[in-house]
Amino acid sequence: MPSELSKIWLSSPHMGGQEEEFVAKAFQENWIAPLGPNVNGFEADLEDYLGGTKNIAVLSTGTAAIHLALVQLGVREGDEVICQSFTFCGSANPIMYQGATPVFVDSEPSTWNLCPKALETAILDRISKGKTPKAIIPVHLYGMPYLVEEVAAVAKKYNIPVIEDAAESLGSTFKSQNCGTFGEFAALSFNGNKIITTSGGGALVCPSTQAKDKIVFYSTQARDNAPHYQHSEVGFNYRMSNISAGIGRGQMLVLDEHVALRREMHKFYQEIFKDIEGIEVFTEPSEDYFSNHWLSAILVDPKKTRGIDREQMRLHLETFNIESRPLWKPMHMQPVFANMPYYGGKVAEHLFENGLCLPSGSNLSDEDRERIKAAILELFKN
Ligand SMILES: *Cc1c(COP(=O)(O)O)cnc(C)c1O
């Protein structure tokens, strides 16, 4: 019976083997704290990986990274921040933490990410209402770089800083430049389902040493320089632990391998679907784009599949104990953000209604792939 087969997950943690050595060292040296050699080492590894021009602070989560970027940019109650609507809630929630208002903007069809035209419309309309947005949060969703140059041009024209949400795109590049180096700040995530994991964790890529120092200050309860505990500002307890950072150091050794394996999964789906009418595998729009293909995603057109829609496909895979998931539900469609402004058309809504993420892990076996292929082919046979 298919249901007795072990579960094939969308994206599960994949250890490289050396993580435990870094963690064991932390135990031996009693660095069981939100500081220590692994914290510094992991930051240095990430800085190297991204090209060495940025300063990186590792934090408890990617959401915390976006939050601290907003804090540092001075976003306060009553302010407005533009956010890509088609994303995970971790991009938008920190705007609410600051008492600010998220202004959601639609995607464009080539990268599924922030539409520069809708972005400019939104900025002009908010300015006409008396409020210049304090920041713009575009996302490299599923590892696909957003329209980096177009978004940067609009941001520059109105002098608004970009907080790049690179939570899903470590290892992706645009014109050979790493995602995570395009914004004033960039957020990374090492949650359990991401391309590398520290069980839970994140990082903020900062433009300077001073900016990083300030982020570390905010992430460790904003302690002033004094022998006693002295505070002039409200801080946060957001620093990454030395244990988690040890896992991160081990994961950095296999990051490029994981990117290659995820990209192989994407190719695997391109191969399966090349002869199936009505299924489009989400792929880079040109050679300028290099996606880590964190998750492989497809669009299903029921008019061309003789009625098979994405939900039918999801339920079919479930009977084979294969996990798949609809694409992110846009933030402007979420009950919690129902009253927030939204600019754009129905691109994100269309993606949500017709898109599906398929198992994409770097740790899927040949046997797993055979099962996935057989299940898909069964649904689309004859
Ligand atoms: C995972 C993710 C986040 C948040 O990261 P956490 O580490 O889970 O807090 C933010 N944005 C996007 C697009 C994500 O996928």
Side-chain angles (χ1 to χ4, degrees):
M1 289 296 292
S3 58
E4 286 168 17
L5 292 166
S6 64
K7 176 126 179 171
I8 296 178
W9 300 96
L10 207 60
S11 179
S12 67
H14 183 195
M15 293 299 109
Q18 277 169 267
E19 293 82 1
E20 279 182 287
E21 290 170 34
F22 289 104
V23 173
K25 198 138 191 287
F27 273 79
Q28 282 152 21
E29 296 170 353
N30 205 30
W31 283 108
I32 317 292
L35 80 171
N38 284 337
V39 170
N40 302 335
F42 186 32
E43 288 179 342
D45 291 348
L46 287 165
E47 287 165 3
D48 274 355
Y49 190 85
L50 291 187
T53 62
K54 299 282 185 173
N55 291 266
I56 298 182
V58 291
L59 302 167
S60 54
T61 65
T63 307
I66 295 175
H67 188 192
L68 290 186
L70 294 170
V71 169
Q72 180 112 323
L73 290 172
V75 172
R76 289 187 291 161
E77 190 163 357
D79 286 341
E80 295 187 347
V81 174
I82 290 184
C83 183
Q84 179 170 324
S85 182
F86 188 51
T87 187
F88 173 62
C89 68
S91 310
N93 281 340
I95 303 167
M96 305 292 280
Y97 302 165
Q98 286 305 98
T101 301
V103 173
F104 293 114
V105 172
D106 203 2
S107 289
E108 51 79 30
S110 75
T111 68
W112 294 5
N113 292 314
L114 194 63
C115 171
K117 289 200 191 81
L119 171 64
E120 184 157 22
T121 305
I123 293 171
L124 287 171
D125 193 55
R126 298 326 286 177
I127 290 175
S128 79
K129 290 182 164 64
K131 280 205 172 142
T132 304
K134 283 287 171 72
I136 300 167
I137 307 178
V139 190
H140 307 289
L141 222 53
Y142 305 119
M144 186 65 72
Y146 60 77
L147 295 177
V148 168
E149 290 168 346
E150 291 86 343
V151 168
V154 175
K156 192 167 171 222
K157 184 168 171 189
Y158 298 95
N159 199 21
I160 304 171
V162 169
I163 302 171
E164 187 189 347
D165 184 340
E168 302 180 359
S169 60
L170 187 59
S172 298
T173 63
F174 174 74
K175 292 191 174 171
S176 304
Q177 187 181 333
N178 284 298
C179 289
T181 63
F182 295 111
E184 169 100 7
F185 289 96
L188 307 176
S189 170
F190 314 111
N191 197 27
N193 57 351
K194 297 284 157 70
I195 192 135
I196 61 165
T197 182
T198 59
S199 72
L204 189 65
V205 184
C206 303
S208 64
T209 321
Q210 296 89 310
K212 176 191 164 169
D213 289 347
K214 198 73 203 265
I215 292 298
V216 171
F217 166 80
Y218 282 127
S219 73
T220 50
Q221 305 286 29
R223 286 176 60 185
D224 294 341
N225 197 3
H228 56 277
Y229 279 80
Q230 171 87 13
H231 307 277
S232 316
E233 285 185 77
V234 175
F236 303 85
N237 189 2
Y238 278 172
R239 196 73 164 130
M240 181 180 279
S241 92
N242 195 54
I243 301 293
S244 299
I247 304 174
R249 288 180 85 180
Q251 290 272 277
M252 285 306 285
L253 300 172
V254 291
L255 172 54
D256 281 334
E257 201 178 303
H258 285 195
V259 171
L261 289 164
R262 297 244 177 194
R263 285 175 57 82
E264 250 173 57
M265 285 308 296
H266 170 257
K267 250 196 221 134
F268 164 76
Y269 290 115
Q270 278 185 313
E271 198 56 35
I272 292 181
F273 288 113
K274 74 175 193 296
D275 299 322
I276 298 178
E277 178 99 35
I279 307 284
E280 186 194 314
V281 179
F282 183 40
T283 300
E284 288 94 334
S286 80
E287 298 205 332
D288 289 339
Y289 296 79
F290 178 93
S291 171
N292 66 12
H293 288 296
W294 169 58
L295 293 185
S296 288
I298 57 169
L299 279 181
V300 184
D301 181 353
K303 290 196 288 295
K304 293 184 184 159
T305 57
R306 280 178 280 147
I308 296 169
D309 62 16
R310 77 111 153 90
E311 192 52 16
Q312 213 176 320
M313 192 164 169
R314 191 183 72 77
L315 293 170
H316 173 81
L317 292 172
E318 200 169 83
T319 64
F320 289 81
N321 217 6
I322 297 169
E323 185 182 35
S324 66
R325 193 175 298 148
L327 303 186
W328 298 122
K329 182 170 183 175
M331 292 301 114
H332 73 276
M333 296 170 78
Q334 298 285 358
V336 66
F337 295 125
N339 300 320
M340 303 302 162
Y342 172 71
Y343 294 85
K346 297 208 173 290
V347 175
E349 287 178 40
H350 172 81
L351 292 170
F352 169 61
E353 275 154 26
N354 297 288
L356 194 66
C357 295
L358 299 170
S360 308
S362 46
N363 52 358
L364 294 172
S365 65
D366 287 347
E367 198 180 45
D368 293 334
R369 272 191 287 272
E370 280 311 310
R371 270 175 61 195
I372 294 166
K373 185 174 177 182
I376 291 171
L377 292 182
E378 169 164 321
L379 183 64
F380 290 98
K381 71 175 175 244
N382 60 60

